[in-house]
Structure formats: C-alpha cells, structure tokens
Amino acid sequence: MGSPWKGFVEFTLPASPPTAFVSADLSSTSPVGLSLSPYGRSMSFDPGMLHNNGHTAYANGSGPGIRETGVVEKLLTSYGFIQCSERQARLFFHCSQYNGNLQELKIGDDVEFEVSSDRRTGKPIAVKLLKIKPEVLPEERISGQVGPDLHVYPFTVLHGYIHPVVSSVPLNLDGKAAPGQVPTGSVCYERNGEVFYLTYTPDDVEGNVPLETGDKVSFYMETNKHTGAVSARNIQLVKKKQARCQGVVCATKEAFGFIERADVVKEIFFHYSEFKGDLEALQAGDDVEFTIKDRNGKEVATDVRLLPQGTVIFEDISIEQFEGTVVKVIPKVPTKNQSDPLPGRISTRIGFSEKELPFGEKDTKSKVTLLEGDHIQFNISTDRRDKLERATNIEILPDTFNLTKETREMGVIAAIRDGFGFIKCVDRDARMFFHFSEVLEESQLHISDEVEFTVVPDMLSAQRNHAVRIKKLPKGTVSFHTQSEQRFVGVVEKEVVSASNKNTSPTKGKEKEAEEGVIAYEDCGVKLTVPYHVKDLEGGTYPQAGDKVEFCINEVKRTGHQSAVSIRVLNRNASNSRRLHGFVAALKDNFGFIETANHDQEVFFHYSEMCGDVDNLELGDTVEYTLSKGKGNKVSAEKVTKVAAVNGTGEDVGASVLAGKIIRPIRSVDPSQTEYQGLIEVTEEGGDKGQNYAFGIMGMTNKADCLQKGEHVKFQVCTVTQTGQKMACNVVPQRRAPVECVKDQFGFITYEVGESKKLFFHVKEVQDGVELQIGDEVEFSVVFNQRTGKCSACNVRRVSEGPKPVATPRPDRLVNRLKSITLDDASAPRLVILRQPRGPDNSKGFSVERKTRQPGVID
C-alpha cells in the first residue's frame, strides 16, 4: 500500500509543539519526516524522511519485535504521546501507526507498541500501536473500613498495620480539593489475618456520600495499568460509625462514676479504667466525650475523654426576663416520697396565656427563703434534650412584701459570727438568729446595722425561731423607744450610786448595771417619780440630790418601762461642793489618779466614785470631780464624771522643736518619787541648752507611753493658761535598739527598762507587717501594763536591716573525721536502703545524675 502523502504536508500544532524530531514507521513503502516551521506555529511532514522496516537504533536498547505497554497520555488530530508503563518514558506516535479504528482511541486507553527511532534525530518513537482490551475485574465486592491516614498525593503506598478506623478525603478550608493535587482517603480490609490499605478519591464513592472515619464500606479493587497501584472503586457505605456522645460528670465514686448525657435526659455509668487521661484531675462538673457500649445488657460509657470546659451545653436560657408569682415553694426538709427534682412552681403570664413553670433549688440567684405569693422575676430555661421549660435565675422583687402580707419586724444587728449572727429585736426580748444567706442585698452587714426581717419557725426545732428575708434599712429607721416631745421639770430625789464594789477594775468588765437615780416631778397636778441613768445626762454635769433638772420621758416599746432622758441641770443646790476639772493620769487595778487642771499635781480616786462605766475611761480623758477628805485628812476625788474634752496643757505652743533627755519621769512611771511632774533637760546646742521643762500626762503625744529616765525625746514648749508656767508638750521619745530575738508570735528588743535589760513586743505591733530578723534596728514606743506592772514595746517600726546570718562552718574535728572515713573501712558507718526512691510521677530513681561527693566538702 502506498503512502497517502506526496511531498510535504503543513498542519497547525497546539500551543506547546514538540521540540525535537521523532521517527515513526507509518508504511512499508513511503518514508516521511517531521520538521518545525520557522514560524514556530506549524510543522512540515516529509514521508521520505521516515525510516520503514530497517530501523537502525532503539531507545530502550532492545531488538526488533519486543513490544511494550503504555497509556495514551495526549491525543491530537494526527499524532499523540504515550506514557510507558514499564519505565519512566514519554514517546511520540503518529496516528498512522495505530492498527484499528482511530475514532475509538481515547486518552487513558492502554496500548501495546514497539519502539523505533526517528532516522533524522535518533529520538525514540512508538510504532505499530495496538489497543489492549481492559481487564475484567471480578464482580465480588470486598467489605472493609475507611483507613486512618489522609493522603493528598496522587499515589499513596501504606506500610505496616494501622488500626482500622476511618480516614476521610481531605479538603482545604473552602471545601474544595487542594490546588494541583488529587485528594485521596484510604480504606482497609482484612484477608487471611493481614490488613491491606487502598486509596480512593471522591469520584470512587457511589452516590457522592460523604464518608467519615470508622465507616464500614464495600468496594471493588482496580489496578492502574501504567503504575501498578491498586485502588478502590465503586465504594458503597454499609454502616456509619458509632457517634461519640458528650456529657458532664455528675458523680464520682471510689472506682467508678456517672455522666449526665447531653443527648437524652439520662445518666450513664463508667468505670475509671475507661477514662483516658489524668484520673486525679477528674472531678464532678467536667465536660467529657465517650462511646456507648452494651455490656451484660446495660449501656456503659467507654473511652471517656475530657473536653474543654463549656463544650457541653444542656439548655438554652432566654435573654428576656419574665415576672411571676410563686405558687408552690420548695420544702426545706424533703419528704421520703418526694422524687420530683423541680418541686417548686411559678405562675406567670406569657403572651395571652397563663403558664406554670417548675423550678429547683439551684434556680434561685440567692439562698433567700421564698414564700408563696412572692413577686419574682426570672428567665426561662429550655432543655435541649426534651424541650422541658423551667424558671431559673429567680430573684425577689422589692414590692413582694406588699403582696405576701407577711409580718415584718425590725431590729439591730447585735452580733456577727462566721456565717451567721443575731438581731436585737424591737418587739421581742430574745435575740433572733439569722444566717448570712438570708440577706437580700449583696452588701455586707455590720454590727448596729438596722434591718427588717420575717420570723419563721425552725424546721428542725419547732420551739426555735429564726429571721429570714433580711433587708437593710437606712440609719435612724429602727427605734426601740418612744420619747415624749414635752419637756418636764423636776428635782433629783436620789442620786445615781455605782453598784461596782471596791475591788472592781476597768479591765474586768462591768458586773452589773449602776443603780438608778430618781427624779420627782408633777404632771397635771399628780406627783410622780421616774428613774434615770448616767448615760442619759446632757452636758457632762453630774446631778446631785436637790438639783433642779429638765428632762424628757422615754418609754420602751417592748415593755412599756419609762425613764428620764436628755437630763440637763437647771440650777444647783448651794450646799453642793464646787466641781473641778482634771485629766486621767493613771489607771490601776481598782483605783486611779487625776492630773489637776494646772498639770502640777495628781489626785487619787477610787473606781466606786466613778459615775458611769469605768471601762470607757482612758488615759488623758477629761473628767469633772469634787474634792473631799477621807481618813488621815487625805484628799481624794469624789463623784468623778467623764466630760467633753477641754484644752490640754496650754494654748500658746512654741513653733520650735527641741531635743532633750528625761531626767525625771512622771510619778505613774516611778511611784517612789514624791513629785508628780516629770522633767526634761534640753540637750541640743542653743540658748536653751541645760534648761529644764516640766511635763505631765497631757504633755505626752502618746498618753500610754512609758517615758523612762535617760531617754532622749523631742518636744515643744507651751504656756499653761491658768498659771503662766512654761511646760513641755507634744513629747515624742526617740528610741532605737536592735532586735535581740524573734519567736513565733513575739520577740525581744535589746532595751533596758527598769530592772529588765530587754523589752518584750508582739508581732502584731510591728508596722506594715514586716517580718523582723535578729539584728534589725527598730523604733518603738514603750507602754506600761497596769495589771502586770511590766512594760512592752508597741508601734514597732524597722529602721534598718541587720547583718545577714552566715552559715556556720562545720567543726574541724568533724571534717577531719569525715575525711578519714573510707568506703573500704569496715568500722565506718553504713547506710541500709529501706525503701527505694520514687518520684512524684511514680518513676524510680532520680532525674539528676548522682555524683560522688568529697567528705567534708559542701556543694
């Protein structure tokens, strides 16, 4: 058969024409050839240049007659390219070399061919092409699972054994395959005890069903002829994998626990051996996921794993708040037959219909007692599992007390303990117990706060009552008494006499109330008497028998008892002695001393002469008293009354601050001296050096300070108004000393006070909470304890830190002995291992390498 081409034929190529000449055997009589057009867009074909049967070279080095297989990779109008199956080569072929119907040849078809070479270029080309019929795979479907590994490469080879769980086809973020790559997943199947893995693409899945890890599937096997790779095709989903469930751990026991499921209203059991994680960290309230399995006819949770907190949500809570009325409260003591977890009921109107919603103990914002008829506001919670609605975030509205018609009482907070307290009631004698959880407002209560509350019987003891629904009131709302607006005038018939015995001290407390005084007065022509107490006096003036006074009458609401209050002395009986002013200079066990108004002497007084509570008396307080002579003509103070403070030492105080030294303390510090006043000698350079200034209790900045002889002080000079005498005032000691030792809650300062050479201090007296060390230099004040007769330091402030302690070296004799001991010495001490070391993670041994230590050498 002759060649159909005569001469050269020119035809158009695609955008990427071949870059070299190839030779092909198109017929036995007419050789042709290919050449590039100089324009680069077309190619010429010369039949005379193509070698026919007499090939002289082969690209693969094989002789004539050896055929290869491949796949049609590219097919154009009159030529194409083949991808070899046995080797990595790409061969050109002319359509005239195909033996068969050219219309049936398509890209991807398997072909068989011989290799020849182009006579002009020597490049290999494919000739004598023959299409191979596709291999018919068996129609048996293979069952398996989708494998775990994801592969985005076109060809995947898996090695080893992998647990048969799902690996779905990977997608990028926009849901499409990664650009330039064919996404593949893997399926696995078992045969003769071995597990095999095959790749697949989305096109291999029938029905375009999305597969997930763990899905069971059936499929056919297909072998790629040019790569030899086996893949799965015609994949059908047989059974979806078992879904993982979520829930919250609701209870933990010794070796097991329970999980509240998020899909149904039900709890499920799990054993601790099924928990995958740190069992010590597992606790009630943790979010978990798990798989449900059937064991012995019961569902149990397996493969339990922690989830981030907040992952599991059981319910949806409405943003809108609703108002309603409590129609049934939760019983404080649950009954045996009570099985409803939401026993409370709230009636509300939503839209145009009435609705009743349940609620439980955890649905109230606070633990304040709810009563039937309470007007409340709340949110509605809808359970995602069974769509059950309930009221939650319940809080009482302020107007509820107008609707419940409950009896409200008032009182004052009398005592507060840890978590509870007591209220002094206006209408009851007994104090009323209450718990902090019953306070309506979030603000904290304090002693003397005025409150309103409801009294209910205690559920555990019917004989006892307690206060609930406590509401704080503004100051001045609660009143235990009613006071008359009318002022009465009367005469003191009986003075107040202190009931304290001769041995009572202010530190031991008041044993019983002072005896009442009596005032006689007339009201509408009727002669009446009314009692009074010292605390009800005005102006600080102590009334005596025969004094004319003005007063109001106060009546206790609870008992109706009347007494005189706001008592003011109008005029005094002429026979009464003159009243003097002074200042408390010393307080002993059952007596004290008063510094006179001129600050030069002290007057003795017994606590039995004190009008009022001795416990409220402090050093430096201003008092009013009357002088009297007792046995042996000794002068003492009588009818001592605490009054409002007046000026101290003097009004004319110098601006300059002087430095001095105590050359004589006041008498309360040294009772052996005869003079009351102390003396300070000026020590700083100047015109006043060597001059002495007297001082009393009112001249000291800290009245409780115990100024000793020889101490250095700073002070100012003032003039006493009554006498014109110049005295020291605003006296401040300048004390500095090192800390000698510090114990647990106390310590001692190296400072000489009296016969003792060290001064005691308590840790709570150290300012700024500083932890003192031995050797620290401190400033402090010295106070005298009237009961023990001993001095101690207060207001301790660290000025500078002492030297840091240095580790004491080992004694030479011990070091020499350690160096003399060898491991081979039989008489040397031996260590016997009783228990091997174990780390905190139960691992044996130490993480740090142990090194041999030289005897007597400290690292």
Side-chain angles (χ1 to χ4, degrees), residues 10 36-42:
E10 184 173 338
L36 286 176
S37 167
Y39 300 102
R41 300 285 298 175
S42 64

Side-chain angles (χ1 to χ4, degrees), residues 247 391 701:
T701 302

